[in-house]
Amino acid sequence: MVVGGGISGIQAALDLANTGFSVYLVDKAPAIGGKMSQLDKTFPTNDCSMCIESPKFIECSRHPNIEILSYTEVESIKGKAGDFKVTLTRKPRYIIEDRCTGCGTCVEVCPVKVPDEYNQNLSLNKAIHIYFSQAVPLITYVDPDTCLYLQDEKCNICIGACQNQAIDLNQREETIQVEVGAVIMSPGFEVFDPKLRNDYGYGIMENVVTSLDFERILASTGPYDGEILRPSDKKHPKKIAWIQCVGSRQVIEGGNSYCSGVCCAYAQKQVILAKDHEADLEAKIFHNDIRAFGKDFERFYQRAENLPGVEFIRSYVSIGKEDPETKNVSIRYSTADDGVKEEEFELVVLSVGLNPPKNAEELADQFGIELNEHGFCKSNPLNPIETTRPGIFVSGAFQGPIDIPESVMSAGGADALCSQLLAYRRGDLARDRVYPPEKDVSQEKPRVGVFVCHCGANIGRVVDVPAVVEYASGLENVVHAQESLFACSTDNAKQISDQIREKGLNRVVVAACTPRTHEPLFRDTCREGGINQYFYEMANIREHCSWVHSKEPENATRKAKEIVRMAVARSSLLEPLQEFELPVNKTALVVGGGLAGMTSALSMANQGFRVKLLEKDKALGGITRRIHTTLEGMDVQAFLKDTVQKVYKHPYIQISHEAIITNVTGYVGNFVTTVKTEGRIKDIEHGIAVLATGAAEYKPTEYLYGEDDQVVTQLELEDRIFKQDEALMNAESLVMIQCVGCRNEDRNYCSRICCSHAVKNATNLKDLKPEMDIYILFRDMRTYGYREDYYREAADKGVKFIRWELDDKPEVEAITEGGKSILRVTVPDLILGRRLELDADVLTLSAAVIPSEESMEVARLFKVAMNPDGFFQEAHVKLRPVDFAAEGVFLCGIAHYPKHITETISQAYGAAGRAITILNKDSVTVSGAICQVDENACESCGACISVCNYGAIEFHETGKGKKATVNPILCKGDGLCNTVCPANAISLKHFTDDEIFCQIDAS
């Protein structure tokens, strides 16, 4: 059972269902989606939030092994791991669910207007309504607190208006009892409410809004249809301020001492989106530290900072006053050069932090788990996914403040731990998806159906969708055309499959957004309609039209018509293709024997799958062997020793030391990896691979490192602290310099762990020798999450923090005074406005985390991507954070990006969980859109072989001599071979020359 229907709960439910388990997905809200459904877009990719979530909504609703129980709460849970009895209470919707079609007639006639909580009370809704436009389930519910009938039986007009007789205002709560083997808790979070403390005038001044309010203002389905308007007068603001750390990093009453982690990045995202709306907008972001610690977040921050009219100001602020006439809000803030300034803004956005769920204490009592001092779920220090009660696991933001990728990773990890617990029951209750028989339309004339999506206002506010529909209906072979608010919603997907059957459609064109996220959904919809899935064509009129021509509605509409015309022309020539299934080798290969690799290997082995673990060194452990404690005080070496022993003792894990991979062939379900180990070469056959090749510590070339023994890295310092090195213990002063080797032109990323590592070592030194003077020279202290408490503790113990800027770095020279060799560190103090000279007995450099040398070669052999910094590139930062684009290959650990030990463990379990979705199957499905060779035309030149990135083409002997042939299993259909073949002997199914030329001719 998964409790909570946000992105983490949905992902956990899908992973469990895809690994052979039956799942109850329980959510107290009227529909699944959580807070992410309220967001406009996500960072750093700026993907539409609903475009990310909606396909998952539909997949959940269609999955035969998932039962969605919305508007449902847990009353009690009894029993033990593997055998829980759960009592649920389903709140009355006052709607008969199987009769409601979501038509909205009842909403139209309802006379009661109430603030719309989903839209942050910025607009009105009715007492009966659908939770949000893409809700799953897409049915109405009645708010009992505002319905006139339920209050005093004054009105029941909705009953008479409903043609399906779906309204029952006499419904009562329903009690349900279910038996489950494990529970995943993903109840999400609440946003900090600044109204409770009257922070910055929120709730008093109309034009002071929270970040979640602003998300709804930005959203196409929000209160202003995606236009940025001020609540007071509905005018476009030209000057907006963002105030960071509202409710976070505060030790005052009602605040949270921790850093909420996500606020800096989402504020940058909102600035970028606001500038997209209004190019001449002036935006100022008031902050303390910019915590751009996530993958690609540093570049995202720079992107926002470099926009014209955008200024990041490091200052605490206070609200001055509201102008009674203009309703503008003034802000007072301090500057290094000009003292205190006061400035007026038309709109102020409060970047509020994350709070535990409102009912966290009640949940803890019901589930028999403990909460930590911040009110979030208390987890095992050695495993952040385990709660204090066996059999109950946690994922998502209930662990603590985390971003979407970490939420999705933890969901996969929770799936892996549930699967370990219940492996003996895998598949007992699982059911297969059943599709209607596929209709043979090969002899029919093309009958095309065109479905044009508004995408809320993403498309609809720029493109004249009704005009596009009218135009499409007049195109050759088009027999049906209609518009949809959201083509990817459950209701609209069903409409498409229904129209296929009712109108006899044999081709489907959806004019909407990107096929990158939605093509699988609409292909599946075609299958549900009874036609071959390759009779589907997508016209991308969002990325290719409305987004890039947002200021030219007439031209955008004309271009949308042209895109649809081209799609219809191509669709008429589409041919049915058949996918085929391949057997799966049930063995897993893990490359890398560090903490991530071992954790992932143990998880898969504990579920009954054999694992081959490859390690390049003579010992397991990787870089973790050099870490003694965590910031939280965990004994890392004891934990590592225990993990290594478990790996060596596990009967399903086979370890190869000093292993070098020389070749990789094959495909998902059937890989063959050639390994040289202990002087022998052997082939390993496996179904999936997990790459956990680790990373390394940068060896500095600056600040006298390698020239003076007094200059060390943080890892070297940690070892000296552990050993209580005599020279270190005799030192009177120590200086640390942050961001050495990163956040610069050579490595434009934050190494994420350095600030916490510095705080840990400084605090440990202070415990050993309180009188030692310790200085940390930093640019931004990125002690996100609960690590903020340790940052504050270090300051309380006398560690001094001095900020420096990139254009004025610290300088170091070795000098001798009084016969003693010391290091003189010169650093500008921005507060004092002068340069300081610090004499240090020891200088510690917080060196960057850099990719390992092995990662590049392993990536080449497995044909997986790396990002510009040399770390493994995941398939999608939000949707598939532990998958590669290459099917059957997964990633985890610091080879993906620098991360702390708990984050590494969580991702390692996540990779194992994702891998099991393949290993659990007897076969995998391979695409039908692959290349084929006409042997009669092939000239055996080998050009195709030279450009194929997947090794899918090779020569074979025929009666006509040596000819090229395509391995359909390895072929990914990228079409490179088509472009270089001089004889035009290779064609790509689903993208034939005739289809492309027809599309071009129609342009």
Side-chain angles (χ1 to χ4, degrees):
M1 181 175 73
V2 178
V3 180
I7 186 66
S8 180
I10 290 171
Q11 188 64 57
L14 286 171
D15 283 345
L16 280 167
N18 289 329
T19 50
F21 296 102
S22 182
V23 183
Y24 294 107
L25 178 55
V26 179
D27 196 308
K28 66 179 181 180
I32 60 175
K35 286 288 187 298
M36 186 174 164
S37 68
Q38 291 181 272
L39 306 185
D40 178 44
K41 292 183 175 66
T42 64
F43 61 87
T45 56
N46 276 4
D47 283 317
C48 171
S49 294
M50 285 310 303
C51 287
I52 288 178
E53 283 209 298
S54 187
K56 291 184 180 291
F57 293 169
I58 298 174
E59 190 177 353
C60 274
S61 67
R62 291 177 173 180
H63 206 295
N65 296 322
I66 297 178
E67 183 177 349
I68 298 175
L69 299 173
S70 59
Y71 223 30
T72 302
E73 295 186 3
V74 175
E75 284 299 314
S76 65
I77 177 169
K78 299 179 180 178
K80 59 183 181 180
D83 185 21
F84 290 115
K85 292 179 175 58
V86 185
T87 301
L88 305 171
T89 298
R90 297 204 72 181
K91 294 182 283 187
R93 281 182 175 271
Y94 306 102
I95 302 294
I96 303 172
E97 295 187 23
D98 56 3
R99 294 184 186 177
C100 179
T101 63
C103 66
T105 303
C106 55
V107 182
E108 293 176 6
V109 301
C110 178
V112 181
K113 292 185 177 181
V114 297
D116 187 349
E117 185 177 352
Y118 187 81
N119 269 340
Q120 295 295 105
N121 298 327
L122 293 171
S123 62
L124 298 176
N125 211 327
K126 299 293 186 69
I128 182 170
H129 61 273
I130 293 173
Y131 193 46
F132 60 95
S133 56
Q134 289 169 278
V136 172
L138 194 71
I139 54 179
T140 55
Y141 73 104
V142 178
D143 180 1
D145 295 329
T146 57
C147 174
L148 296 178
Y149 181 86
L150 294 174
Q151 289 299 306
D152 49 22
E153 299 188 0
K154 285 185 177 179
C155 170
N156 62 3
I157 190 173
C158 55
I159 296 178
C162 181
Q163 297 181 356
N164 299 305
Q165 298 182 330
I167 299 175
D168 179 4
L169 296 177
N170 295 309
Q171 274 187 356
R172 295 291 180 266
E173 284 187 351
E174 180 185 0
T175 300
I176 304 172
Q177 289 190 330
V178 298
E179 295 182 358
V180 299
V183 177
I184 297 175
M185 298 192 66
S186 301
F189 63 92
E190 298 292 337
V191 296
F192 177 81
D193 185 0
K195 189 184 299 182
L196 298 177
R197 299 188 320 191
N198 188 26
D199 276 6
Y200 303 105
Y202 182 70
I204 300 173
M205 302 179 186
E206 289 183 77
N207 293 322
V208 176
V209 300
T210 68
S211 47
L212 192 55
D213 296 340
F214 195 70
E215 289 287 342
R216 294 314 300 157
I217 291 173
L218 286 168
S220 59
T221 57
Y224 311 137
D225 296 327
E227 287 192 77
I228 300 179
L229 305 177
R230 301 197 321 163
S232 65
D233 52 17
K234 307 303 183 289
K235 292 181 179 179
H236 293 278
K238 299 295 183 181
K239 191 174 181 181
I240 305 179
W242 275 262
I243 301 176
Q244 301 305 107
C245 298
V246 177
S248 303
R249 303 184 67 184
Q250 297 178 337
V251 291
I252 59 178
E253 185 177 353
N256 297 314
S257 64
Y258 54 81
C259 164
S260 290
V262 301
C263 319
C264 287
Y266 74 55
Q268 294 155 29
K269 175 201 71 174
Q270 290 177 347
V271 168
I272 292 171
L273 294 177
K275 290 289 288 185
D276 286 344
H277 282 256
E278 297 286 344
D280 58 347
L281 176 75
E282 183 180 347
K284 294 191 177 182
I285 301 91
F286 297 95
H287 67 96
N288 183 8
D289 295 288
I290 289 295
R291 294 191 163 171
F293 55 85
K295 191 173 185 179
D296 292 327
F297 285 11
E298 185 72 19
R299 290 186 178 90
F300 194 73
Y301 162 47
Q302 292 166 2
R303 176 184 167 190
E305 186 181 35
N306 293 330
L307 288 172
V310 173
E311 184 179 359
F312 283 77
I313 301 172
R314 200 183 300 274
S315 175
Y316 289 107
V317 305
S318 63
I319 291 289
K321 59 185 178 181
E322 180 187 58
D323 187 304
E325 293 184 6
T326 65
K327 299 296 183 181
N328 291 346
V329 179
S330 64
I331 290 179
R332 284 193 295 268
Y333 61 96
S334 63
T335 64
D337 300 326
D338 301 326
V340 176
K341 296 179 68 175
E342 185 163 343
E343 193 169 353
E344 197 172 86
F345 295 87
E346 295 171 66
L347 185 67
V348 175
V349 182
L350 307 181
S351 292
V352 291
L354 311 188
N355 277 8
K358 290 180 181 177
N359 61 338
E361 292 185 3
E362 183 181 348
L363 284 171
D365 290 339
Q366 290 170 339
F367 286 86
I369 62 171
E370 297 178 30
L371 303 178
N372 64 21
E373 64 272 22
H374 296 295
F376 290 94
C377 182
K378 184 177 182 180
S379 59
N380 181 349
L382 306 180
N383 187 339
I385 302 171
E386 291 181 346
T387 69
T388 54
R389 182 175 181 180
I392 298 181
F393 306 99
V394 60
S395 73
F398 193 37
Q399 292 177 317
I402 57 175
D403 187 21
I404 295 169
E406 280 77 19
S407 291
V408 175
M409 290 175 198
S410 66
D415 158 47
L417 290 170
C418 285
S419 296
Q420 287 179 209
L421 176 64
L422 304 175
Y424 68 101
R425 294 297 305 274
R426 190 191 306 275
D428 287 359
L429 301 175
R431 294 170 293 174
D432 293 328
R433 181 84 176 273
V434 178
Y435 293 95
E438 185 177 302
K439 182 182 177 183
D440 181 8
V441 299
S442 57
Q443 303 304 314
E444 295 181 3
K445 180 183 176 182
R447 294 177 58 83
V448 183
V450 178
F451 301 86
V452 185
C453 181
H454 284 262
C455 197
N458 276 304
I459 295 171
R461 74 165 172 260
V462 179
V463 175
D464 186 345
V465 172
V468 175
V469 171
E470 182 180 359
Y471 175 78
S473 64
L475 294 174
E476 184 179 1
N477 296 325
V478 173
V479 298
H480 175 74
Q482 71 175 60
E483 56 187 284
S484 304
L485 181 61
F486 288 102
C488 60
S489 68
T490 306
D491 180 58
N492 278 277
K494 184 177 183 302
Q495 283 184 27
I496 293 173
S497 59
D498 288 344
Q499 293 294 346
I500 291 172
R501 289 187 291 267
E502 294 173 11
K503 299 288 196 314
L505 305 180
N506 54 30
R507 305 287 192 282
V508 172
V509 172
V510 177
C513 54
T514 173
R516 186 166 70 112
T517 54
H518 285 60
E519 189 171 69
L521 165 65
F522 291 119
R523 282 187 175 179
D524 198 60
T525 300
C526 288
R527 293 185 69 184
E528 293 217 326
I531 61 174
N532 187 277
Q533 61 179 308
Y534 288 94
F535 283 136
Y536 159 74
E537 171 70 358
M538 193 156 205
N540 190 342
I541 62 170
R542 191 183 71 179
E543 280 81 351
H544 293 175
C545 192
S546 67
W547 278 6
V548 293
H549 305 296
S550 59
K551 307 299 182 183
E552 307 171 275
E554 292 183 3
N555 290 334
T557 300
R558 184 168 63 251
K559 184 178 178 180
K561 292 176 181 179
E562 292 175 357
I563 293 173
V564 170
R565 183 174 69 243
M566 295 165 69
V568 169
R570 179 173 182 266
S571 71
S572 299
L573 296 181
L574 293 177
E575 298 176 350
L577 301 177
Q578 298 303 320
E579 297 181 332
F580 52 98
E581 294 188 342
L582 302 168
V584 172
N585 184 310
K586 301 287 186 176
T587 300
L589 177 74
V590 177
V591 182
L595 187 58
M598 288 190 293
T599 301
S600 189
L602 280 169
S603 179
M604 290 185 285
N606 287 335
Q607 295 180 59
F609 298 98
R610 298 197 175 275
V611 181
K612 308 287 186 179
L613 177 60
L614 306 182
E615 170 53 45
K616 64 181 176 63
D617 293 333
K618 293 181 179 180
L620 299 175
I623 202 171
T624 313
R625 297 199 301 266
R626 301 181 62 189
I627 301 173
H628 296 281
T629 63
T630 64
L631 184 61
E632 297 78 14
M634 182 180 87
D635 187 337
V636 175
Q637 292 307 303
F639 174 64
L640 180 62
K641 181 180 178 181
D642 180 62
T643 303
V644 170
Q645 287 178 347
K646 289 178 180 178
V647 169
Y648 277 123
K649 290 179 180 179
H650 205 294
Y652 283 3
I653 299 178
Q654 181 180 338
I655 306 164
S656 296
H657 289 287
E658 298 181 271
I660 300 174
I661 299 174
T662 60
N663 191 39
V664 178
T665 60
Y667 43 86
V668 56
N670 290 274
F671 292 101
V672 178
T673 298
T674 303
V675 180
K676 182 179 179 181
T677 177
E678 299 175 355
R680 296 184 298 111
I681 295 178
K682 60 181 179 181
D683 287 340
I684 299 175
E685 297 180 352
H686 53 102
I688 64 93
V690 176
L691 306 187
T693 50
E697 183 186 42
Y698 166 67
K699 294 301 180 185
T701 58
E702 52 265 73
Y703 300 122
L704 303 182
Y705 181 82
E707 301 174 27
D708 192 312
D709 292 341
Q710 296 168 289
V711 183
V712 297
T713 66
Q714 289 289 357
L715 281 177
E716 292 166 349
L717 176 65
E718 180 168 354
D719 191 56
R720 292 189 184 189
I721 294 172
F722 178 74
K723 295 175 180 177
Q724 296 192 23
D725 177 78
E726 183 179 354
L728 178 64
M729 291 299 99
N730 290 332
E732 296 179 359
S733 63
L734 181 145
V735 174
M736 299 179 179
I737 301 178
Q738 301 303 104
C739 299
V740 176
C742 62
R743 297 187 69 191
N744 55 29
E745 291 183 2
D746 295 332
R747 297 177 192 85
N748 193 15
Y749 61 88
C750 167
S751 288
R752 188 176 179 123
I753 64 173
C754 315
C755 289
S756 299
H757 203 164
V759 167
K760 176 188 71 175
N761 284 342
T763 304
N764 289 343
L765 268 176
K766 275 291 187 180
D767 290 339
L768 290 172
K769 193 174 180 179
E771 69 274 16
M772 182 183 289
D773 291 326
I774 300 177
Y775 301 88
I776 297 180
L777 314 184
F778 70 101
R779 292 174 60 189
D780 295 280
M781 283 303 295
R782 292 180 171 176
T783 46
Y784 57 93
Y786 302 147
R787 298 169 187 86
E788 180 71 12
D789 293 335
Y790 297 94
Y791 173 26
R792 187 176 295 105
E793 178 187 343
D796 290 342
K797 289 183 176 181
V799 178
K800 299 176 181 64
F801 295 84
I802 302 173
R803 190 187 305 276
W804 58 275
E805 299 291 347
L806 185 60
D807 58 359
D808 196 359
K809 297 181 180 180
E811 297 175 356
V812 178
E813 62 176 333
I815 63 173
T816 302
E817 282 190 358
K820 180 181 178 183
S821 176
I822 61 173
L823 296 165
R824 177 155 293 168
V825 182
T826 306
V827 61
D829 189 306
L830 302 176
I831 303 300
L832 298 177
R834 56 185 294 186
R835 299 186 72 82
L836 301 180
E837 288 185 354
L838 307 173
D839 289 346
D841 296 317
V842 179
L843 175 64
T844 303
L845 307 181
S846 291
V849 178
I850 60 175
S852 65
E853 295 179 358
E854 295 75 25
S855 293
M856 182 70 75
E857 180 63 13
V858 168
R860 183 186 68 81
L861 291 167
F862 279 93
K863 300 178 179 64
V864 296
M866 306 189 81
N867 78 346
D869 302 315
F871 295 104
F872 288 141
Q873 183 64 57
E874 65 280 358
H876 190 285
V877 65
K878 307 290 184 184
L879 293 171
R880 300 170 65 195
V882 297
D883 297 54
F884 282 107
E887 293 294 325
V889 189
F890 305 90
L891 57 91
C892 62
I894 54 176
H896 167 243
Y897 189 69
K899 49 180 63 70
H900 292 281
I901 285 177
T902 52
E903 296 166 336
T904 293
I905 292 170
S906 182
Q907 189 182 27
Y909 278 115
R914 292 289 300 148
I916 297 301
T917 61
I918 293 176
L919 294 178
N920 171 62
K921 300 174 183 176
D922 294 324
S923 62
V924 291
T925 303
V926 178
S927 171
I930 55 176
C931 297
Q932 60 183 358
V933 177
D934 179 357
E935 292 184 353
N936 293 324
C938 178
E939 296 179 349
S940 307
C941 66
C944 55
I945 296 175
S946 67
V947 298
C948 181
N949 291 320
Y950 305 99
I953 308 176
E954 58 185 15
F955 287 129
H956 77 292
E957 291 295 334
T958 69
K960 302 175 184 178
K962 187 171 64 173
K963 300 291 183 181
T965 184
V966 177
N967 184 333
I969 300 166
L970 296 179
C971 180
K972 301 299 180 185
D974 62 8
L976 283 177
C977 54
N978 298 37
T979 64
V980 300
C981 179
N984 201 27
I986 298 186
S987 61
L988 174 56
K989 297 178 181 179
H990 199 57
F991 296 95
T992 65
D993 288 353
D994 288 343
E995 291 168 2
I996 301 299
F997 290 148
C998 181
Q999 194 171 13
I1000 293 172
D1001 291 341
S1003 64

